[in-house]
Amino acid sequence: MTTPPPSPTTPPTTNTPTEATPLPTTTPAPDEHALRQPAATYEHNRSCEPAFMRDRPPPHEPASAPKRTPKDDHPRPDKPTHIDERVPPREPTYIDERTPLSEPLFVSERSSSHRAPDLGDRTPPHRTGPADGCTSVASGGDGTDEVDAERLARAGLVRVVEPGDPAAITAFEGMEVLELWEALHEKRPMFERWSSRVAEARPEIDLERAAAAGARFVIPGDDEWPEQVEVLADAGLQSRRGGVPFGLWVRGPAQLRETLAKSVAVVGARACSAYGENAAGELAAGLADEGVTVVSGGAYGIDAAAHRGALACGGPTVAVLACGVDVSYPKSNTALFDRIAETGLLISELPPRCSPTKLRFLARNRLIAATTLGTVVVEAAIRSGALNSAGWAEQCGRQVLAVPGPITSRMSEGVHLLIRERNAALATNVADILEAISPIGTHTTPYPHAPTTITDHLDHDLSRTLDAVPVLRPAPATRIATTAGLDLDTTQECLETLADSHLIEYTPTGWRLSPTHRQSL
């Protein structure tokens, strides 16, 4: 069997030797991981690897190259660095701040405007040296550089103890402030209730924040301290609150004691009516014209109307807050608080950055009542915080006044209750308020009278005759005598007397009222 000839399209197969294929070199292939990242990053990663892995040759060096030692690589850091060195480590925040506890204490440039600026290096929590940036606050404005130890202790106590806490009143009775502050740090028996807050309290920072916000901390013994607030020591409790505050945070240029020397509180409902808002504004403006300071709580409704009324007349006004003096609550009243801080005062028992709570509003009411000469309630429902302020005024021995409202309004029920059941004085104008807050015998309000007229002093016969004279159509004397029920001679005599007084006039057809008297009717 013969082999078929090859196809013309297929090249013939020969046994001629071909050119040899070159053999691979001994150089290893580059490391794929190294090819995907820059060389500098690769070297840094090698420095963080274990020692046994750093002994392998680099990806682009021959196997015969000398081994690298750890000192030839980047030095291994003692501690792992932060992911972003520009971000400082977080620090714990303080008790009851508006920021979440997970937020750092510092404030970045993107923070909202109500945050305090970065205060730089922090000082130890219990130092007794001067506080940077808060000399005027810590020293009470006397210009000294030493921090008052008592002021520092009181600043810490207002951070640790809730305003008006009755448990604190019982536990702290008879103790000096410095002794109390030391006992809280030592966690003595009966003081465990406040141990969690003591560990986080840093009064120096509160004083620095107050100074940054333009505020100061006033304590008993300062020239600004209002002594009338000491009445709270004997006023008892109401709504589980009471007692004298350890100090007051004050923001504004006015002098606290002098501003509150002659002051009146104007309080009422937040959801007030147009009638109540107008009444509060008019009364506040009238009091400001008389040189009386208007004190209120800075809330919606009656409080805001009272502040605006005093500001409209250029008078002083004081807002007592249930939060820090650097906090605007409600937020929509920020512009109002700024206006008050320019000429009046913002007062709070709470340190900076503290937020309001229900019990803090009730504790705030006792300060409004105690620091003023009287409390005026404009509108209030049966269940209202304004009635709580009125109750504190009663317990502090202050005057309570109530502005009546429509009997159909729910917001007038509490006010009418004060008048009917709790002997509140009725206030319808500024004169009523001034009489109530002034010493006995001064600023007395005259009884309202209508203006007197000439007819008020006429005798009986003259009055009967004048009533019988027609207004427009004249009548003869005989007709007038019959109508008056008098004899003709008496009637004729009375008509002549009335004509001399220009009350009636004579015409050819009889008597009638004069044009002047007709206009007065």
Side-chain angles (χ1 to χ4, degrees):
M1 184 174 183
T2 62
T3 302
S7 173
T9 61
T10 303
T13 302
T14 61
N15 295 327
T16 304
T18 59
E19 189 174 350
T21 304
L23 297 176
T25 62
T26 58
T27 303
D31 191 345
E32 295 181 359
H33 178 70
L35 294 177
R36 293 196 299 268
Q37 57 185 333
T41 306
Y42 173 77
E43 292 296 332
H44 178 71
N45 291 343
R46 288 190 58 195
S47 66
C48 299
E49 293 176 349
F52 73 90
M53 294 186 64
R54 291 202 298 267
D55 294 338
R56 63 182 176 84
H60 301 294
E61 296 181 5
S64 60
K67 294 183 179 180
R68 289 179 176 267
T69 59
K71 66 180 181 180
D72 297 328
D73 298 327
H74 296 289
R76 181 183 178 89
D78 295 336
K79 295 182 181 180
T81 58
H82 200 275
I83 297 175
D84 188 352
E85 296 182 355
R86 294 172 299 176
V87 180
R90 294 176 178 241
E91 297 182 15
T93 53
Y94 301 124
I95 311 161
D96 186 29
E97 296 195 0
R98 302 180 67 201
T99 55
L101 292 179
S102 60
E103 276 193 50
L105 183 61
F106 69 93
V107 181
S108 65
E109 295 180 357
R110 297 188 300 266
S111 299
S112 57
S113 60
H114 70 268
R115 302 284 183 83
D118 189 3
L119 301 176
D121 296 337
R122 300 300 189 232
T123 54
H126 307 301
R127 73 172 188 177
T128 57
D132 297 335
C134 67
T135 302
S136 62
V137 179
S139 61
D142 56 2
T144 61
D145 295 332
E146 297 181 358
V147 175
D148 187 355
E150 180 182 358
R151 189 181 310 278
L152 199 65
R154 289 180 179 273
L157 289 172
V158 296
R159 169 68 70 175
V160 172
V161 182
E162 278 292 314
D165 186 0
I169 298 175
T170 304
F172 302 162
E173 185 177 3
M175 297 184 66
E176 297 293 334
V177 172
L178 294 177
E179 178 187 1
L180 173 59
W181 185 236
E182 181 180 356
L184 289 173
H185 281 284
E186 294 176 356
K187 298 182 180 180
R188 297 180 188 175
M190 295 178 61
F191 296 149
E192 297 87 352
R193 176 189 184 98
W194 302 277
S195 59
S196 61
R197 287 192 171 186
V198 172
E200 299 181 9
R202 298 171 71 179
E204 299 91 344
I205 305 301
D206 287 332
L207 293 172
E208 293 175 358
R209 285 176 171 171
R216 56 195 181 275
F217 187 53
V218 180
I219 63 173
D222 290 345
D223 293 337
E224 284 194 83
W225 180 254
E227 296 180 355
Q228 62 265 35
V229 79
E230 302 289 342
V231 72
L232 291 171
D234 302 320
L237 300 177
Q238 186 177 177
S239 301
R240 297 170 292 170
R241 302 288 97 180
V244 182
F246 292 105
L248 294 174
W249 302 89
V250 182
R251 175 185 165 198
Q255 215 269 5
L256 179 60
R257 180 176 56 83
E258 295 177 357
T259 303
L260 294 177
K262 187 178 181 181
S263 59
V264 170
V266 180
V267 298
R270 289 178 173 86
C272 65
S273 64
Y275 160 78
E277 185 175 11
N278 180 72
E282 291 293 334
L283 291 175
L287 291 170
D289 287 337
E290 296 292 336
V292 179
T293 301
V294 177
V295 179
S296 197
Y300 289 127
I302 299 299
D303 289 11
H307 290 306
R308 293 189 180 99
L311 291 172
C313 293
T317 182
V318 176
V320 184
L321 308 179
C323 53
V325 292
D326 60 340
V327 178
S328 296
Y329 184 88
K331 190 69 175 178
S332 59
N333 284 355
T334 301
L336 177 61
F337 293 142
D338 292 341
R339 288 184 60 195
I340 295 174
E342 291 177 359
T343 58
L345 292 173
L346 298 176
I347 301 176
S348 178
E349 192 177 353
L350 294 157
R353 295 194 181 182
C354 283
S355 56
T357 63
K358 180 179 179 181
L359 287 179
R360 289 175 178 177
F361 278 112
L362 296 176
R364 181 273 309 269
N365 292 340
R366 83 189 199 282
L367 298 181
I368 294 178
T371 56
T372 56
L373 299 175
T375 299
V376 181
V377 183
V378 178
E379 276 191 332
I382 290 296
R383 182 182 178 89
S384 173
L387 298 185
N388 180 262
S389 299
W392 274 114
E394 293 172 347
Q395 293 184 208
C396 293
R398 307 292 192 255
Q399 292 291 333
V400 179
L401 300 97
V403 179
I407 61 174
T408 56
S409 174
R410 183 175 61 88
M411 288 301 160
S412 299
E413 293 179 356
V415 176
H416 297 162
L417 177 67
L418 290 176
I419 299 173
R420 184 177 67 250
E421 302 291 341
R422 295 166 61 173
N423 298 323
L426 188 67
T428 58
N429 50 45
V430 176
D432 294 339
I433 301 174
L434 294 177
E435 181 182 12
I437 66 172
S438 300
I440 297 177
T442 61
H443 284 284
T444 56
T445 304
Y447 187 81
H449 291 281
T452 59
T453 62
I454 190 173
T455 58
D456 294 338
H457 304 290
L458 297 178
D459 62 21
H460 181 67
D461 290 342
L462 289 175
S463 297
R464 292 178 62 178
T465 303
L466 181 61
D467 291 339
V469 175
V471 176
L472 292 175
R473 183 174 297 179
T478 54
R479 177 74 177 270
I480 295 175
T482 304
T483 304
L486 299 174
D487 60 277
L488 184 58
D489 293 338
T490 303
T491 302
Q492 190 67 39
E493 183 180 355
C494 291
L495 289 173
E496 292 176 358
T497 303
L498 294 173
D500 293 339
S501 301
H502 304 287
L503 294 176
I504 62 175
E505 63 179 0
Y506 180 75
T507 66
T509 57
W511 298 89
R512 66 178 183 182
L513 297 182
S514 65
T516 305
H517 186 51
R518 287 200 300 266
Q519 292 177 359
S520 64
L521 295 178

